[in-house]
Amino acid sequence: MSVNTNQAQTTKPLRVAVLVSGSGSNLQVLIDAIQAGALPVEIVGVISNRDDAYAITRANAAAIPVAVLSHVANGKRMGIKTFERHASEQLQAWQPDLIVLAGFMRVLSASFINSSPAPMINLHPSLLPAYKGLDTHQRVIQAGERHHGCSIHVVTAELDAGAVLTQAILSLDQKDTATDLQKRVQKLEHQLLPWTVLLLAKGVLSLNDDGANSQTNTFSPALPLKLYLDS
């Protein structure tokens, strides 16, 4: 799988599909950047695994196609295998160049990831490889860390283990609670995601078939690219 950098370097926008589960604030940041002319991207569709996700409202307001894969005919929550089958069919129909997991809260199988029509990136609320999984803010506080932030990484079969492309970093305050950190890190996410997608759309970052960064010369900085931000 690879991001089509030849396409990205022309005037044709990068085709992006977004998977969501919740409020969709990061989806909204992408929409706003596109509408402002700051991001050469077309969001070709949004998939939500929850029918009550506010992200659906955001996508509808921007006239973006939405597939809600939440429940089956008998009203029960859709199992992961059924979700993946329908999601795979939808992604194949949309044919994106890149798939963004933005607050998507289901673990995807290796077969789904490996058969994807495009590479996937995920936004994770920690400085990977530290603090994979859930409850990152509380765990960071309990460990007495001095820095925290968020990462965008390539999605692989191993949870939160793909190549880290970019990170945004902040300093912890001794008074920070987990709720405080969640809000502070979300501000970083809203800067990191459009910046990373822009780098991919412009071909500054590229994803090769191994899901890692392809650097064309020795002058390219080592990954992850880092933003040190005061939120």
Side-chain angles (χ1 to χ4, degrees), residues 42-230:
E42 176 190 3
I43 300 178
V44 296
V46 169
I47 295 175
S48 176
N49 71 311
R50 292 181 61 98
D51 56 10
D52 59 351
Y54 188 67
I56 297 169
T57 300
R58 297 181 189 273
N60 287 335
I64 297 170
V66 178
V68 180
L69 305 177
S70 176
H71 292 78
V72 291
N74 62 10
K76 291 185 179 179
R77 184 169 184 251
M78 188 178 290
I80 188 62
K81 290 184 178 180
T82 304
F83 170 85
E84 289 187 346
R85 176 165 52 83
H86 289 293
S88 180
E89 291 171 356
Q90 187 62 74
L91 290 171
Q92 291 291 343
W94 284 336
Q95 283 297 300
D97 302 309
L98 178 70
I99 299 166
V100 176
L101 309 187
F104 182 71
M105 299 302 292
R106 296 199 82 165
V107 177
L108 298 168
S109 71
S111 60
F112 178 83
I113 295 166
N114 293 336
S115 64
S116 171
M120 299 182 191
I121 59 174
N122 179 54
L123 183 58
H124 182 75
S126 81
L127 299 176
L128 292 172
Y131 303 102
K132 299 176 182 179
L134 301 175
D135 301 319
T136 59
H137 310 304
Q138 187 61 44
R139 290 158 61 199
V140 162
I141 291 172
Q142 290 174 342
E145 299 285 2
R146 295 178 60 190
H147 296 94
H148 188 35
C150 53
S151 306
I152 293 181
H153 67 95
V154 178
V155 177
T156 62
E158 185 179 349
L159 183 66
D160 298 331
V164 180
L165 302 175
T166 58
Q167 291 181 324
I169 301 168
L170 55 77
S171 297
L172 265 70
D173 189 302
Q174 290 184 346
K175 297 179 181 179
D176 279 329
T177 65
T179 300
D180 295 333
L181 272 187
Q182 181 181 15
K183 293 177 180 177
R184 293 183 66 202
V185 169
Q186 188 175 60
K187 291 181 181 178
L188 299 191
E189 293 174 358
H190 292 170
Q191 298 174 74
L192 187 66
L193 181 59
W195 181 63
T196 305
V197 173
L198 177 63
L199 294 180
L200 289 166
K202 292 290 189 180
V204 177
L205 279 177
S206 62
L207 304 174
N208 63 25
D209 289 340
D210 294 326
N213 184 58
S214 175
Q215 293 171 302
T216 58
N217 60 64
T218 57
F219 300 104
S220 298
L223 294 182
L225 302 181
K226 298 183 179 182
L227 291 175
Y228 291 85
L229 299 170
D230 181 14

Side-chain angles (χ1 to χ4, degrees), residues 32-40:
D32 291 346
I34 293 167
Q35 293 179 343
L39 196 58

